[in-house]
Amino acid sequence: MLNDPMVLTPIVAAEPEKRIRDRSATEKAILNAAKALLAEEGFQNFGINAVARRAGCDKQLIYRYYGGLNGLVEAIGADLGTWVKDRIPEDTGGMFLLTYGDLMERLSLLFLEALRDDPLVLRIVAWEVSENTEQVRRLSEARSKALGLWLERMRGSLTPPKGVDAIAVNAILFAAIQHIVLSASAAEQCAGLALKTAKDWEKAATALKRIVRGVYG
Amino acid sequence: MLNDPMVLTPIVAAEPEKRIRDRSATEKAILNAAKALLAEEGFQNFGINAVARRAGCDKQLIYRYYGGLNGLVEAIGADLGTWVKDRIPEDTGGMFLLTYGDLMERLSLLFLEALRDDPLVLRIVAWEVSENTEQVRRLSEARSKALGLWLERMRGSLTPPKGVDAIAVNAILFAAIQHIVLSASAAEQCAGLALKTAKDWEKAATALKRIVRGVYG
DNA sequence: CGCGCTTGTCTCCGCACGGTGACTGTTGGG
DNA sequence: CCCAACAGTCACCGTGCGGAGACAAGCGCG
């Protein structure tokens, strides 16, 4: 592509930038291209041709190495298992979490932050609520599994207050976070709340904290 | 499609089901086809050809009457202004809303219910968080405008408690509701919370109420 | 060395899409 | 009665897609 102007000087041109024969490197290139593409463009224009173009290789290799798009998506899903480790701290940042409310406040903010700077996972979330294909189901499963593990680990021995359906409440809290970030990513606002500047996000985080504290004390 | 077997008996077949010449009826048919298609299939396969097929007319007419897909989407948006009136009650169901907390609890549940049985609007919400094209922006604008009007009207003279950023809190609450319903529609669950049976939804509603009460008292 | 397996590329196919121009048939006003 | 305006249809174009098969080149193992 960069050499396009050379096309008219066919004699000297050459320099085909020989692709070296390295299967595992190519596999990685494909996987990375797919992840980058999904993160940057979303699932709309996500296809064999687009990934191959981005990876700079022939789409045939995607069929050979991953068995097509489905296999590639599955590979992304498997790769996603590392999301938690990479993106969300395992420790509590030196804080002592005395109550379940402390915990959930911290986890909510961590989750918010993590989502905000992981466009790939964010796109997957958008995909999850837009389609219900086998591809998406795989990805979704991988993501929720990773998330569940992280929650489990962070929770430790803390238990929610009696009389509160923590599963339902937390589902709503996390739904809210996901949607806020989704909405911000698409339109820089959500339900009339601007979500552009750091100050905007401060307000959102404060409101979120207030909500968590309201329900968990 | 249903007549496929008839293809081999061309003589008697005929009965071309003459389309009557009625522009306004055709326009309505197109608009309804578009809305139904969007509601049932989502925005993924939403295109000129699909709408024309569904409307049972030639796609050329969509160009003629609506100026293409964009115009058609705009028409849907305009039509969406009636959503509030049709779907969400204007009165308070005979309740006296004494506090802002009363109000928001009621509005939250109303919004949840309304979203749950309006697949079209739900698809639009999914579209909003997945793309940021001109089409979507128009739809989104129409929707948020209608929603804003409804909120305004329902709020009446009630004001939020001092010290609470009601705009931010409400944005989060509505984001949560939207995402819960979206997630349920796609996967019948959300963050580990099943959302299939009426009982499941009871739990969600209870948790939502608790959250609203927690923050607004 | 040389054969064969692997890696990578190229070309082709059928299909559905968005979009356009030309056509047919009906209707209503002069 | 006739013709222009209009509703509706049809055929076609270029493009990009997913997919498959044929082909060229490098490497490894005997």
Side-chain angles (χ1 to χ4, degrees), chain A residues 180-214:
Chain A
I180 283 276
V181 181
L182 274 179
S183 194
S185 151
E188 290 188 324
Q189 58 95 22
C190 176
L193 175 68
L195 289 170
K196 200 170 179 179
T197 68
K199 205 169 181 65
D200 296 334
W201 283 105
E202 278 290 329
K203 284 163 92 171
T206 302
L208 180 60
K209 276 191 279 191
R210 192 178 291 272
I211 289 174
V212 173
R213 286 306 185 177

Side-chain angles (χ1 to χ4, degrees), chain A residues 83 87-93 97 103-117 150 154 174 177 208:
Chain A
W83 181 64
R87 293 289 182 168
I88 306 192
E90 295 271 340
D91 59 48
T92 55
L97 303 177
L103 173 69
M104 286 313 299
E105 175 182 318
R106 175 120 184 90
L107 292 194
S108 297
L109 295 180
L110 278 177
F111 187 60
L112 177 69
E113 286 305 317
L115 260 192
R116 277 191 61 196
D117 46 48
W150 175 67
M154 295 296 276
F174 278 69
I177 295 168
L208 180 60

Side-chain angles (χ1 to χ4, degrees), chain B residues 22-36:
Chain B
D22 183 339
R23 166 155 181 169
S24 73
T26 303
E27 283 180 356
K28 282 196 192 88
I30 292 173
L31 185 59
N32 288 333
K35 292 200 294 181

